[in-house]
Amino acid sequence: MAYRETAQVKARKAAQREALLRTAETLVRDGGFAAMTMQTVADRAGVGVGTLYRYFDNKATLAAAVFAVATQREVDAVDRALAGGGDASARLERALRLFARRALAAPRLAWALIAEPVEPEVDAERLRYRAAYAALYQRVLDQGVAAGELPPQSTALAAALVGAIAEALVGPLAAPLNDAGLADHLAAFCLRAVGVAGAASVAGSGDTESAP
């Protein structure tokens, strides 16, 4: 008779996999994906490297899983910001500043997620999540255009916002700048790009979302 794992065994394995992912992300936060080796993760987690290989086939698989977990957390934060109150421009401004401020609060992790040279498996995840961000921004742009809050435009170009944010942050994240207004300037730039009048003065309202 084929062996079937009990619910208790499944729960134990899921908990250990989650713990290994947390350990791996801690290493990425400190030194990027380059610092995350299978041996280092196993040593930090206090398990044999063979145990780690039972959950992840290789470093690329583990890195892709860490990327997915960390990036989904950021996508969810942007989604919550866009779903809050206010018109389209207010929601977009809030989400843009939130993303930038969270990135600047954890610069090494953000650099790893946005721009660090990585394995193809992680690059594939990057493309998928860039599309997820673009879809969120396009949704609020569609709503704003439909409500007359934003000028008519090709909202399919929302991916350009994702690119602008990533490119603007790569420099500061690679060598962090002491510029408390960077998030606000970036938000104002993106708002002007979608036709928000007076965007330079719109940016600057507070948000309460915690850093990643």
Side-chain angles (χ1 to χ4, degrees), residues 102-176:
R102 285 173 66 88
L104 293 169
R108 200 66 184 90
L109 176 64
W111 166 253
L113 299 180
I114 294 173
E116 183 181 0
V118 289
E119 292 87 349
E121 291 85 346
V122 180
D123 264 337
E125 289 293 306
R126 268 192 187 138
L127 291 175
R128 187 164 73 88
Y129 278 100
R130 283 173 73 95
Y133 282 120
L136 291 177
Y137 291 133
Q138 183 172 4
R139 183 185 68 193
V140 75
L141 292 179
D142 284 336
Q143 293 169 348
V145 170
E149 298 165 355
L150 297 175
Q153 57 193 283
S154 175
T155 60
L157 295 177
L161 291 178
V162 180
I165 296 165
E167 290 299 319
L169 288 173
V170 164
L173 291 175

Side-chain angles (χ1 to χ4, degrees), residues 8-24 41-42 45-48 50-56 62:
Q8 184 178 12
V9 170
K10 289 181 179 179
R12 178 178 59 78
K13 287 185 174 181
Q16 183 164 47
R17 184 179 188 276
E18 184 178 345
L20 292 170
L21 281 173
R22 286 197 302 269
T23 299
V41 172
V47 301
T51 297
L52 185 58
Y53 275 108
R54 286 204 294 270
Y55 292 91
F56 305 98
L62 175 57

